């Protein structure tokens, strides 16, 4: 299927590795010019070089997208874009009694306020041009909260509420906003979460992963490649009637009828 994206330009956040890189790679394969962002310059440049080999222009901007200074740097380098993919690492796991105001502010900055700031900056141009796509990478936790990820539950659910209203205000201008909700994928985040189980319970990483996979109907972790292709479809010309949706990519791990 031709996604109709050749010649479009995308800003993909946190895209040096993991799910962000999967999205960037899928868009590059469709002929999309890329502006990549991540905090680590070395890994970012390596990914940029890899994607340039696919024949598309790639601009790499090393900056912390969760800060106002980082957002300003990235937006200046990006200029007008047709596609925005927001993404940022999730807050650390823990217990409710250990979290204070500063913990929540940090989570909100990364997983709610940064995506909102980027949308506020880029949506007007998309609306003026009559076409645009925004995909926010959030989490399955907005559908079914994960107890030890309370900071993420809170911040990402706030973003979901914002998207629910905003997406319906910009749809008439040919702009769609949707959220992708990953379950566990074979990324550094999975290694971190499984590592926490290893440290707590004294088991091996293989045992921790096998235990988690047993809770997923697909009996495996997702891949960044398949996640990226789902993102690319939501960015495509064929997805203009998908508005304000929260789409799970979790191997069936979240139990919901609707």
């Amino acid at each position: 299927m031709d996604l109709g994206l050749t010649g479009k330009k995308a800003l993909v956040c946190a895209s040096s590795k993991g799910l962000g890189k999967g999205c960037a790679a899928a868009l590059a394969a469709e002929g999309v010019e890329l502006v990549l962002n991540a905090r680590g310059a070395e890994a970012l440049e390596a990914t940029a070089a890899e994607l340039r080999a696919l024949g598309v222009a790639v601009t790499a901007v090393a900056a912390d997208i969760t800060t106002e200074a980082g957002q300003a740097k990235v937006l200046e380098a990006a200029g007008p874009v047709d596609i925005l993919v927001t993404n940022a690492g999730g807050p650390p796991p823990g217990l409710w009694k250990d979290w204070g105001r500063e913990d929540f502010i940090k989570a909100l900055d990364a997983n709610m306020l940064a995506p909102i700031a980027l949308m506020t900056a880029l949506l007007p141009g998309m609306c003026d041009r009559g076409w645009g796509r925004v995909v926010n990478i959030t989490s399955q936790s907005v559908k079914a909260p994960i107890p030890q990820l309370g900071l993420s539950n809170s911040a990402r659910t706030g973003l979901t509420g914002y998207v629910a209203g905003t997406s319906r205000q910009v749809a008439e201008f040919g702009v769609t906003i949707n959220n992708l909700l990953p379950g566990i994928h074979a990324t550094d985040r999975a290694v971190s979460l499984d590592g926490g189980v290893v440290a707590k319970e004294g088991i091996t990483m293989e045992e921790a992963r096998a235990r988690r996979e047993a809770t997923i109907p697909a009996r495996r972790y997702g891949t960044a490649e398949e996640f990226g292709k789902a993102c690319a479809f939501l960015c495509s010309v064929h997805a203009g009637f998908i508005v304000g949706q929260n789409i799970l990519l979790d191997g069936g791990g979240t139990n919901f009828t609707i």
Side-chain angles (χ1 to χ4, degrees):
M1 179 187 294
D2 180 2
L3 299 187
L5 294 177
T6 300
K8 300 292 188 184
K9 184 179 181 182
L11 166 58
V12 186
C13 301
S15 50
S16 64
K17 53 189 175 180
L19 300 182
K21 181 179 178 180
C23 294
L27 290 171
E30 296 296 325
V32 176
E33 177 184 350
L34 295 172
V35 179
L36 305 183
N37 158 253
R39 287 178 295 180
E42 184 176 351
L44 182 62
E45 289 296 340
T47 294
E50 180 182 334
L51 297 183
R52 288 187 190 109
L54 297 177
V56 297
V58 181
T59 300
V61 187
D64 184 350
I65 202 66
T66 70
T67 68
E68 290 184 0
Q71 292 156 21
K73 181 179 180 181
V74 170
L75 289 169
E76 181 179 6
V81 300
D82 306 294
I83 296 166
L84 168 65
V85 180
T86 76
N87 185 28
L95 296 174
W96 60 270
K97 62 186 179 65
D98 298 326
W99 297 321
R101 174 180 172 79
E102 291 306 312
D103 299 302
F104 281 99
I105 294 299
K106 188 174 181 180
L108 289 169
D109 278 339
N111 300 129
M112 177 182 170
L113 297 179
I116 289 175
L118 295 173
M119 283 185 271
T120 300
L122 296 172
L123 283 172
M126 293 180 183
C127 291
D128 288 344
R129 294 187 296 275
W131 197 92
R133 299 287 186 263
V134 178
V135 176
N136 300 295
I137 300 176
T138 64
S139 170
Q140 70 183 100
S141 67
V142 302
K143 285 279 191 180
I146 301 169
Q148 67 271 27
L149 298 182
L151 295 173
S152 178
N153 297 341
S154 303
R156 296 190 194 277
T157 301
L159 175 62
T160 304
Y162 174 86
V163 168
T166 304
S167 63
R168 288 161 173 84
Q169 296 177 57
V170 301
E172 66 177 294
F173 303 106
V175 179
T176 68
I177 311 175
N178 293 288
N179 303 320
L180 280 178
L181 284 55
I184 197 74
H185 282 67
T187 65
D188 287 351
R189 178 67 164 170
V191 173
S192 176
L193 293 174
D194 287 344
V197 175
V198 169
K200 182 179 179 181
E201 302 190 21
I203 60 177
T204 67
M205 284 292 287
E206 291 74 16
E207 289 170 326
R209 176 163 179 161
R211 182 184 299 181
R212 194 186 301 272
E213 286 178 332
T215 70
I216 304 169
R219 296 295 188 266
R220 65 175 178 88
Y221 287 2
T223 70
E225 291 75 19
E226 62 191 341
F227 187 92
K229 290 182 184 301
C231 177
F233 177 78
L234 281 181
C235 295
S236 77
V237 298
H238 308 296
F241 211 55
I242 303 175
V243 173
Q245 298 304 301
N246 296 284
I247 300 173
L248 279 164
L249 287 88
D250 68 344
T254 308
N255 283 317
F256 272 93
T257 302
I258 298 175

